[in-house]
Coordinates of all heavy atoms in Angstrom, one line a residue:
L1 N -41.0 9.3 7.0 CA -40.4 9.9 5.9 C -41.1 11.2 5.4 O -40.5 12.2 5.2 CB -40.3 8.9 4.7 CG -39.5 9.4 3.5 CD1 -38.1 9.6 3.8 CD2 -39.6 8.3 2.4
L2 N -42.4 11.1 5.4 CA -43.2 12.3 5.0 C -43.0 13.4 6.0 O -42.7 14.6 5.7 CB -44.7 12.0 4.9 CG -45.6 13.1 4.6 CD1 -45.2 13.8 3.3 CD2 -47.0 12.6 4.5
N3 N -43.0 13.1 7.3 CA -42.8 14.2 8.3 C -41.4 14.8 8.3 O -41.2 16.0 8.4 CB -43.1 13.6 9.7 CG -44.5 13.3 10.0 OD1 -45.4 13.9 9.3 ND2 -44.8 12.3 10.8
K4 N -40.4 13.9 8.0 CA -39.0 14.4 7.9 C -38.9 15.4 6.7 O -38.3 16.4 6.9 CB -38.1 13.2 7.7 CG -36.7 13.6 7.5 CD -35.8 12.3 7.2 CE -34.9 12.7 6.1 NZ -34.2 11.5 5.5
C5 N -39.5 15.0 5.6 CA -39.4 15.9 4.4 C -40.2 17.1 4.6 O -39.7 18.2 4.2 CB -39.8 15.1 3.2 SG -39.5 15.9 1.7
A6 N -41.4 17.0 5.2 CA -42.2 18.2 5.4 C -41.6 19.2 6.3 O -41.8 20.4 6.1 CB -43.6 17.8 5.9
A7 N -40.8 18.8 7.2 CA -40.1 19.7 8.2 C -38.8 20.2 7.7 O -38.1 21.0 8.3 CB -40.0 19.0 9.5
S8 N -38.3 19.7 6.5 CA -37.0 20.0 6.0 C -36.9 21.5 5.7 O -37.7 22.1 5.1 CB -36.7 19.2 4.8 OG -35.5 19.6 4.1
K9 N -35.8 22.1 6.1 CA -35.5 23.5 5.8 C -34.6 23.6 4.5 O -34.5 24.6 4.0 CB -34.8 24.1 7.0 CG -35.5 24.1 8.2 CD -36.8 24.9 8.1 CE -37.5 24.9 9.5 NZ -38.9 25.2 9.3
S10 N -34.0 22.5 4.1 CA -33.0 22.5 3.0 C -33.8 22.5 1.6 O -33.2 23.0 0.6 CB -32.1 21.4 3.0 OG -32.8 20.2 2.7
G11 N -35.0 22.1 1.6 CA -35.7 22.0 0.3 C -35.4 20.8 -0.5 O -35.8 20.6 -1.6
A12 N -34.5 19.9 0.1 CA -34.1 18.7 -0.7 C -35.3 17.7 -0.8 O -35.9 17.4 0.2 CB -32.9 18.1 0.0
P13 N -35.5 17.2 -2.0 CA -36.6 16.3 -2.1 C -36.2 14.9 -1.7 O -35.0 14.5 -1.6 CB -36.9 16.3 -3.6 CG -35.6 16.6 -4.2 CD -34.9 17.6 -3.3
E14 N -37.2 14.1 -1.4 CA -37.0 12.6 -1.1 C -37.6 11.9 -2.3 O -38.7 12.1 -2.7 CB -37.8 12.2 0.2 CG -37.2 12.8 1.4 CD -35.9 12.2 1.9 OE1 -35.6 11.1 1.5 OE2 -35.2 12.9 2.7
Y15 N -36.8 11.1 -2.9 CA -37.3 10.4 -4.1 C -37.2 8.9 -3.9 O -36.1 8.4 -3.5 CB -36.4 10.8 -5.3 CG -36.8 10.1 -6.6 CD1 -38.1 9.7 -6.9 CD2 -35.9 9.9 -7.6 CE1 -38.4 9.1 -8.1 CE2 -36.2 9.3 -8.8 CZ -37.5 8.9 -9.1 OH -37.8 8.4 -10.3
L16 N -38.3 8.2 -4.0 CA -38.4 6.8 -3.8 C -38.7 6.2 -5.2 O -39.9 6.1 -5.5 CB -39.4 6.4 -2.8 CG -39.4 7.2 -1.5 CD1 -40.6 6.9 -0.6 CD2 -38.1 6.8 -0.7
P17 N -37.7 5.9 -6.0 CA -37.9 5.5 -7.4 C -38.6 4.1 -7.5 O -39.1 3.8 -8.6 CB -36.5 5.5 -8.0 CG -35.6 5.3 -6.8 CD -36.3 5.9 -5.6
A18 N -38.4 3.2 -6.5 CA -39.0 1.9 -6.6 C -39.7 1.6 -5.3 O -39.2 0.9 -4.4 CB -37.9 0.8 -7.0
L19 N -40.9 2.0 -5.2 CA -41.7 1.9 -4.0 C -41.9 0.5 -3.5 O -41.9 0.3 -2.3 CB -43.0 2.6 -4.2 CG -43.8 3.0 -3.0 CD1 -43.0 3.9 -2.0 CD2 -45.1 3.7 -3.4
Q20 N -42.0 -0.5 -4.3 CA -42.3 -1.8 -3.9 C -41.1 -2.4 -3.2 O -41.3 -3.4 -2.4 CB -42.6 -2.7 -5.2 CG -44.0 -2.5 -5.7 CD -44.2 -1.2 -6.3 OE1 -43.2 -0.5 -6.7 NE2 -45.4 -0.7 -6.4
L21 N -39.9 -1.9 -3.3 CA -38.7 -2.4 -2.6 C -38.6 -2.0 -1.2 O -37.8 -2.4 -0.5 CB -37.5 -2.1 -3.4 CG -37.4 -2.5 -4.9 CD1 -36.1 -2.0 -5.5 CD2 -37.5 -4.0 -4.9
L22 N -39.5 -1.0 -0.8 CA -39.3 -0.4 0.5 C -40.3 -1.0 1.5 O -41.5 -1.2 1.3 CB -39.6 1.1 0.4 CG -38.7 1.9 -0.5 CD1 -39.1 3.3 -0.6 CD2 -37.3 1.9 0.1
P23 N -39.8 -1.3 2.7 CA -40.7 -1.8 3.8 C -41.6 -0.7 4.3 O -42.7 -1.0 4.8 CB -39.7 -2.3 4.9 CG -38.4 -1.7 4.6 CD -38.4 -1.3 3.1
G24 N -41.3 0.5 4.1 CA -42.1 1.7 4.5 C -43.2 2.0 3.6 O -43.9 3.0 3.7
R25 N -43.5 1.2 2.6 CA -44.5 1.4 1.6 C -45.9 1.7 2.3 O -46.7 2.4 1.8 CB -44.6 0.3 0.6 CG -45.7 0.4 -0.4 CD -45.7 -0.6 -1.5 NE -46.8 -0.8 -2.3 CZ -47.4 0.2 -3.1 NH1 -47.0 1.4 -3.0 NH2 -48.4 -0.1 -3.9
I26 N -46.1 1.1 3.4 CA -47.3 1.2 4.2 C -47.7 2.6 4.5 O -48.8 3.0 4.6 CB -47.3 0.3 5.4 CG1 -48.7 0.2 6.1 CG2 -46.3 0.9 6.5 CD1 -49.5 -0.8 5.5
E27 N -46.6 3.5 4.6 CA -46.8 4.9 4.9 C -47.6 5.6 3.7 O -48.3 6.6 4.0 CB -45.5 5.6 5.1 CG -45.6 7.1 5.4 CD -44.3 7.7 5.6 OE1 -43.2 7.1 5.7 OE2 -44.3 9.0 5.7
F28 N -47.6 5.0 2.6 CA -48.2 5.6 1.4 C -49.4 4.8 0.9 O -49.7 4.6 -0.2 CB -47.2 5.8 0.3 CG -46.0 6.6 0.6 CD1 -44.8 5.9 0.9 CD2 -46.1 7.9 0.8 CE1 -43.7 6.7 1.3 CE2 -45.0 8.7 1.2 CZ -43.8 8.1 1.4
S29 N -50.2 4.3 1.9 CA -51.3 3.5 1.6 C -52.4 4.2 0.8 O -53.3 3.6 0.2 CB -51.9 2.9 2.9 OG -52.3 3.9 3.7
Y30 N -52.4 5.5 0.8 CA -53.4 6.3 0.1 C -53.2 6.4 -1.4 O -54.0 6.9 -2.2 CB -53.6 7.7 0.7 CG -52.2 8.4 1.0 CD1 -51.6 9.1 0.0 CD2 -51.7 8.3 2.2 CE1 -50.3 9.7 0.3 CE2 -50.5 8.9 2.5 CZ -49.8 9.6 1.5 OH -48.6 10.2 1.8
F31 N -52.0 5.9 -1.9 CA -51.8 5.9 -3.3 C -52.4 4.6 -3.9 O -52.6 3.6 -3.2 CB -50.3 5.8 -3.6 CG -49.6 7.1 -3.5 CD1 -48.5 7.2 -2.7 CD2 -50.1 8.3 -4.1 CE1 -47.8 8.4 -2.5 CE2 -49.4 9.5 -3.9 CZ -48.3 9.6 -3.1
P32 N -52.7 4.7 -5.2 CA -53.2 3.4 -5.9 C -52.2 2.3 -5.8 O -51.0 2.6 -5.6 CB -53.4 3.9 -7.3 CG -53.4 5.4 -7.3 CD -52.6 5.8 -6.1
E33 N -52.7 1.1 -5.8 CA -51.8 -0.1 -5.6 C -50.7 -0.1 -6.7 O -49.6 -0.7 -6.5 CB -52.6 -1.4 -5.7 CG -53.4 -1.6 -4.4 CD -54.1 -2.9 -4.4 OE1 -53.6 -3.8 -5.0 OE2 -55.1 -3.0 -3.7
D34 N -51.0 0.4 -7.9 CA -49.9 0.4 -8.9 C -48.9 1.5 -8.9 O -48.1 1.7 -9.8 CB -50.6 0.3 -10.3 CG -51.4 1.6 -10.7 OD1 -51.7 2.4 -9.7 OD2 -51.7 1.8 -11.8
A35 N -48.9 2.3 -7.8 CA -47.9 3.4 -7.7 C -46.5 2.8 -7.5 O -46.3 1.9 -6.7 CB -48.2 4.3 -6.5
Q36 N -45.6 3.1 -8.4 CA -44.3 2.5 -8.4 C -43.2 3.4 -7.8 O -42.2 3.0 -7.4 CB -43.9 2.2 -9.9 CG -44.9 1.3 -10.6 CD -44.7 -0.1 -10.0 OE1 -43.6 -0.6 -9.9 NE2 -45.8 -0.7 -9.7
G37 N -43.4 4.7 -7.9 CA -42.4 5.7 -7.4 C -43.1 6.9 -6.8 O -44.2 7.2 -7.1
V38 N -42.4 7.5 -5.8 CA -42.9 8.6 -5.1 C -41.9 9.7 -5.0 O -40.7 9.4 -4.7 CB -43.4 8.2 -3.7 CG1 -43.8 9.4 -2.9 CG2 -44.5 7.2 -3.7
L39 N -42.3 11.0 -5.2 CA -41.4 12.1 -5.0 C -42.0 13.0 -4.0 O -43.2 13.4 -4.1 CB -41.2 12.8 -6.3 CG -40.4 14.1 -6.4 CD1 -38.9 13.8 -6.0 CD2 -40.4 14.7 -7.7
I40 N -41.3 13.3 -2.9 CA -41.8 14.2 -1.8 C -40.9 15.4 -1.8 O -39.7 15.3 -1.6 CB -41.8 13.4 -0.5 CG1 -42.5 12.1 -0.6 CG2 -42.4 14.3 0.6 CD1 -42.2 11.2 0.7
I41 N -41.6 16.6 -1.9 CA -40.8 17.8 -1.9 C -41.4 18.8 -0.8 O -42.6 19.0 -0.8 CB -40.9 18.5 -3.3 CG1 -40.4 17.6 -4.4 CG2 -40.0 19.7 -3.3 CD1 -41.4 17.5 -5.4
P42 N -40.5 19.3 0.1 CA -41.0 20.2 1.1 C -41.5 21.5 0.5 O -41.0 21.9 -0.6 CB -39.8 20.5 2.0 CG -38.6 19.9 1.3 CD -39.1 19.0 0.2
L43 N -42.5 22.2 1.1 CA -43.0 23.4 0.6 C -42.1 24.6 0.8 O -42.5 25.7 0.3 CB -44.4 23.7 1.3 CG -45.5 22.8 0.8 CD1 -46.8 23.1 1.6 CD2 -45.8 23.1 -0.7
G44 N -41.0 24.5 1.4 CA -40.1 25.6 1.5 C -40.5 26.6 2.6 O -40.1 26.4 3.8
A45 N -41.2 27.6 2.3 CA -41.6 28.6 3.3 C -42.6 28.2 4.3 O -42.8 28.9 5.3 CB -42.1 29.9 2.5
Q46 N -43.3 27.1 4.1 CA -44.3 26.6 5.0 C -43.9 25.1 5.3 O -43.3 24.5 4.6 CB -45.7 26.6 4.3 CG -46.2 27.9 4.1 CD -46.7 28.6 5.4 OE1 -45.9 29.4 5.9 NE2 -47.8 28.3 5.9
Q47 N -44.4 24.7 6.5 CA -44.2 23.3 6.8 C -45.3 22.5 6.0 O -46.4 22.8 6.0 CB -44.4 23.0 8.3 CG -44.1 21.6 8.6 CD -44.0 21.3 10.1 OE1 -44.0 22.3 10.9 NE2 -44.0 20.1 10.5
G48 N -44.8 21.5 5.3 CA -45.7 20.7 4.5 C -44.9 20.1 3.3 O -43.7 20.4 3.2
A49 N -45.6 19.4 2.5 CA -44.9 18.8 1.3 C -45.8 18.5 0.2 O -47.0 18.4 0.4 CB -44.2 17.5 1.7
V50 N -45.3 18.5 -1.0 CA -46.0 18.1 -2.2 C -45.6 16.7 -2.5 O -44.4 16.4 -2.4 CB -45.6 19.0 -3.4 CG1 -46.2 18.5 -4.7 CG2 -46.0 20.4 -3.2
I51 N -46.5 15.8 -2.7 CA -46.3 14.4 -2.9 C -46.8 14.0 -4.3 O -47.9 14.2 -4.6 CB -46.9 13.5 -1.9 CG1 -46.6 13.9 -0.5 CG2 -46.6 12.0 -2.1 CD1 -47.4 13.2 0.6
L52 N -45.9 13.5 -5.1 CA -46.2 13.1 -6.5 C -45.9 11.6 -6.6 O -44.9 11.1 -6.1 CB -45.4 13.8 -7.5 CG -45.5 15.4 -7.5 CD1 -44.4 16.0 -8.4 CD2 -46.9 15.8 -7.8
A53 N -46.8 10.9 -7.3 CA -46.6 9.4 -7.5 C -46.6 9.1 -9.0 O -47.2 9.9 -9.8 CB -47.7 8.6 -6.8
T54 N -46.0 8.0 -9.4 CA -46.0 7.6 -10.7 C -46.3 6.1 -10.8 O -46.0 5.4 -9.9 CB -44.6 7.9 -11.4 OG1 -44.6 7.5 -12.7 CG2 -43.5 7.3 -10.6
D55 N -46.8 5.7 -12.0 CA -47.0 4.3 -12.2 C -45.9 3.5 -12.8 O -46.0 2.4 -13.2 CB -48.3 4.1 -12.9 CG -48.3 4.6 -14.3 OD1 -47.3 5.3 -14.7 OD2 -49.2 4.4 -15.1
R56 N -44.7 4.2 -12.9 CA -43.5 3.6 -13.5 C -42.4 3.7 -12.5 O -42.2 4.7 -11.9 CB -43.2 4.2 -14.8 CG -44.2 4.0 -15.9 CD -43.8 4.7 -17.2 NE -43.8 6.1 -16.9 CZ -43.0 7.0 -17.6 NH1 -42.3 6.6 -18.5 NH2 -43.1 8.3 -17.3
V57 N -41.5 2.7 -12.5 CA -40.3 2.7 -11.7 C -39.3 3.7 -12.3 O -39.2 3.8 -13.5 CB -39.7 1.3 -11.6 CG1 -38.3 1.4 -10.9 CG2 -40.6 0.4 -10.9
R58 N -38.7 4.5 -11.5 CA -37.7 5.5 -11.9 C -38.2 6.5 -13.0 O -37.5 6.8 -13.9 CB -36.4 4.8 -12.4 CG -35.7 4.1 -11.2 CD -34.5 3.3 -11.8 NE -33.8 2.6 -10.7 CZ -34.2 1.6 -10.0 NH1 -35.5 1.2 -10.1 NH2 -33.5 1.1 -9.1
A59 N -39.5 6.9 -12.9 CA -40.1 7.7 -13.9 C -39.7 9.2 -13.8 O -39.6 9.9 -14.8 CB -41.6 7.6 -13.8
F60 N -39.4 9.7 -12.5 CA -39.0 11.1 -12.4 C -37.6 11.3 -12.8 O -36.7 10.7 -12.2 CB -39.3 11.5 -10.9 CG -40.7 11.5 -10.5 CD1 -41.2 10.7 -9.6 CD2 -41.6 12.4 -11.1 CE1 -42.5 10.6 -9.2 CE2 -43.0 12.4 -10.8 CZ -43.4 11.5 -9.8
K61 N -37.4 12.1 -13.7 CA -36.0 12.5 -14.2 C -35.6 13.8 -13.5 O -36.4 14.4 -12.8 CB -36.0 12.6 -15.7 CG -36.5 11.4 -16.4 CD -35.7 10.2 -16.1 CE -36.2 8.9 -16.9 NZ -36.0 7.7 -16.2
E62 N -34.4 14.2 -13.8 CA -33.8 15.4 -13.2 C -34.7 16.6 -13.4 O -34.9 17.4 -12.5 CB -32.4 15.6 -13.7 CG -31.5 16.4 -12.7 CD -30.1 16.4 -13.2 OE1 -29.5 15.3 -13.3 OE2 -29.6 17.5 -13.5
D63 N -35.1 16.8 -14.7 CA -35.9 18.0 -15.0 C -37.3 17.9 -14.3 O -37.9 19.0 -14.0 CB -36.0 18.2 -16.5 CG -36.6 17.0 -17.2 OD1 -36.5 15.9 -16.7 OD2 -37.2 17.2 -18.3
D64 N -37.9 16.7 -14.2 CA -39.1 16.6 -13.5 C -39.0 17.0 -12.0 O -39.8 17.7 -11.4 CB -39.6 15.1 -13.5 CG -39.9 14.6 -14.9 OD1 -40.4 15.4 -15.7 OD2 -39.5 13.5 -15.1
I65 N -37.9 16.6 -11.4 CA -37.6 16.9 -10.0 C -37.4 18.4 -9.8 O -37.9 19.1 -8.9 CB -36.5 16.1 -9.4 CG1 -36.8 14.6 -9.4 CG2 -36.1 16.6 -8.0 CD1 -35.7 13.7 -9.1
A66 N -36.7 19.0 -10.8 CA -36.4 20.5 -10.7 C -37.8 21.3 -10.9 O -38.0 22.2 -10.1 CB -35.5 20.9 -11.8
W67 N -38.6 20.8 -11.8 CA -39.9 21.5 -12.0 C -40.8 21.3 -10.7 O -41.4 22.3 -10.2 CB -40.6 20.8 -13.1 CG -42.0 21.3 -13.3 CD1 -42.4 22.4 -14.0 CD2 -43.2 20.7 -12.8 NE1 -43.8 22.5 -13.9 CE2 -44.3 21.5 -13.2 CE3 -43.5 19.5 -12.1 CZ2 -45.6 21.2 -12.8 CZ3 -44.8 19.2 -11.7 CH2 -45.8 20.0 -12.1
A68 N -40.8 20.2 -10.1 CA -41.6 19.9 -8.9 C -41.0 20.8 -7.7 O -41.8 21.3 -6.9 CB -41.5 18.5 -8.5
R69 N -39.7 20.9 -7.6 CA -39.1 21.8 -6.5 C -39.6 23.2 -6.7 O -39.9 23.9 -5.7 CB -37.6 21.7 -6.5 CG -37.1 20.4 -6.0 CD -35.6 20.3 -5.9 NE -35.1 21.0 -4.7 CZ -33.9 21.1 -4.3 NH1 -32.9 20.5 -5.0 NH2 -33.6 21.7 -3.2
L70 N -39.5 23.7 -7.9 CA -39.9 25.1 -8.2 C -41.4 25.3 -7.9 O -41.8 26.2 -7.2 CB -39.7 25.4 -9.7 CG -40.1 26.8 -10.1 CD1 -39.3 27.9 -9.3 CD2 -39.9 27.0 -11.6
L71 N -42.2 24.3 -8.3 CA -43.7 24.4 -8.0 C -43.9 24.4 -6.5 O -44.7 25.2 -5.9 CB -44.4 23.2 -8.6 CG -45.9 23.0 -8.3 CD1 -46.7 24.1 -9.0 CD2 -46.3 21.7 -8.7
S72 N -43.2 23.5 -5.7 CA -43.4 23.4 -4.3 C -43.0 24.7 -3.6 O -43.6 25.2 -2.6 CB -42.8 22.2 -3.7 OG -41.4 22.3 -3.7
L73 N -41.9 25.3 -4.1 CA -41.4 26.6 -3.5 C -42.4 27.7 -3.7 O -42.7 28.5 -2.8 CB -40.1 27.0 -4.0 CG -38.9 26.2 -3.6 CD1 -37.6 26.5 -4.4 CD2 -38.6 26.4 -2.1
R74 N -43.0 27.7 -4.9 CA -44.0 28.8 -5.2 C -45.3 28.5 -4.4 O -45.9 29.5 -3.9 CB -44.3 28.8 -6.6 CG -43.2 29.4 -7.4 CD -43.5 29.6 -8.9 NE -42.4 30.2 -9.6 CZ -42.4 30.4 -10.9 NH1 -43.4 30.1 -11.6 NH2 -41.3 31.0 -11.4
M75 N -45.7 27.3 -4.2 CA -46.8 27.0 -3.4 C -46.6 27.3 -2.0 O -47.5 27.9 -1.3 CB -47.2 25.5 -3.5 CG -47.7 25.1 -4.9 SD -48.0 23.3 -5.0 CE -49.2 23.0 -3.7
G76 N -45.4 27.0 -1.4 CA -45.1 27.4 0.0 C -45.1 28.9 0.2 O -45.7 29.3 1.2
Q77 N -44.6 29.6 -0.8 CA -44.6 31.1 -0.6 C -46.0 31.6 -0.7 O -46.4 32.5 0.0 CB -43.7 31.7 -1.7 CG -43.5 33.2 -1.5 CD -42.8 33.5 -0.2 OE1 -41.7 32.9 0.2 NE2 -43.3 34.4 0.6
A78 N -46.8 31.1 -1.6 CA -48.2 31.5 -1.7 C -49.0 31.3 -0.5 O -49.8 32.1 0.0 CB -48.9 30.9 -2.9
L79 N -48.8 30.1 0.1 CA -49.5 29.8 1.4 C -49.0 30.7 2.5 O -49.8 31.1 3.3 CB -49.2 28.3 1.8 CG -49.9 27.3 0.9 CD1 -49.4 25.9 1.2 CD2 -51.4 27.4 1.1
K80 N -47.7 31.0 2.5 CA -47.2 31.9 3.6 C -47.8 33.3 3.4 O -48.2 33.9 4.4 CB -45.7 32.0 3.5 CG -45.0 32.9 4.5 CD -43.5 32.9 4.4 CE -42.9 33.8 5.4 NZ -41.5 33.9 5.2
D81 N -47.8 33.8 2.2 CA -48.4 35.1 1.9 C -49.8 35.2 2.2 O -50.3 36.2 2.7 CB -48.2 35.5 0.4 CG -46.7 35.7 0.1 OD1 -45.8 35.8 1.0 OD2 -46.4 35.7 -1.1
A82 N -50.6 34.1 2.0 CA -52.0 34.1 2.2 C -52.3 34.1 3.7 O -53.4 34.5 4.1 CB -52.6 32.9 1.6
S83 N -51.4 33.6 4.5 CA -51.7 33.5 6.0 C -51.3 34.7 6.7 O -51.5 34.8 7.9 CB -50.9 32.3 6.6 OG -49.5 32.5 6.5
I84 N -50.8 35.7 6.1 CA -50.4 37.0 6.8 C -51.6 37.9 7.0 O -52.6 37.9 6.5 CB -49.4 37.8 5.9 CG1 -48.1 37.0 5.9 CG2 -49.2 39.2 6.5 CD1 -47.0 37.6 5.1

């Protein structure tokens, strides 16, 4: 899931609002055990992703996701500019 999102050209985030319900939770073993939700947003101009976790189920709301998308786009552009 992380590789798919990191390579995404559309910029669409992957939101896993209830991580405990997913068999793929093992992919996110680096999060604390109490992580309940994960938001993965591609960096846009660069290959990679921003990963945010929360300790509450369905904690990320529409405005949180919009903010995170803007942040990841700016980070991707900064990384691209820095590598020139």
Side-chain angles (χ1 to χ4, degrees):
L1 184 62
L2 176 57
N3 291 334
K4 178 185 138 195
C5 189
S8 172
K9 301 295 183 202
S10 70
E14 295 286 339
Y15 181 27
L16 309 172
L19 197 55
Q20 283 68 23
L21 301 177
L22 299 173
R25 177 172 169 52
I26 190 82
E27 183 178 349
F28 303 103
S29 61
Y30 44 85
F31 284 129
E33 287 186 26
D34 64 345
Q36 300 289 312
V38 174
L39 179 62
I40 308 169
I41 306 128
L43 284 174
Q46 292 288 98
Q47 185 168 348
V50 172
I51 305 171
L52 304 172
T54 179
D55 63 352
R56 293 178 298 154
V57 173
R58 293 174 180 67
F60 294 113
K61 305 299 180 210
E62 206 172 299
D63 58 335
D64 299 320
I65 295 170
W67 174 84
R69 286 182 83 175
L70 179 62
L71 175 71
S72 68
L73 286 173
R74 288 186 179 179
M75 288 174 63
Q77 189 60 51
L79 289 170
K80 181 180 179 185
D81 293 346
S83 67
I84 293 177

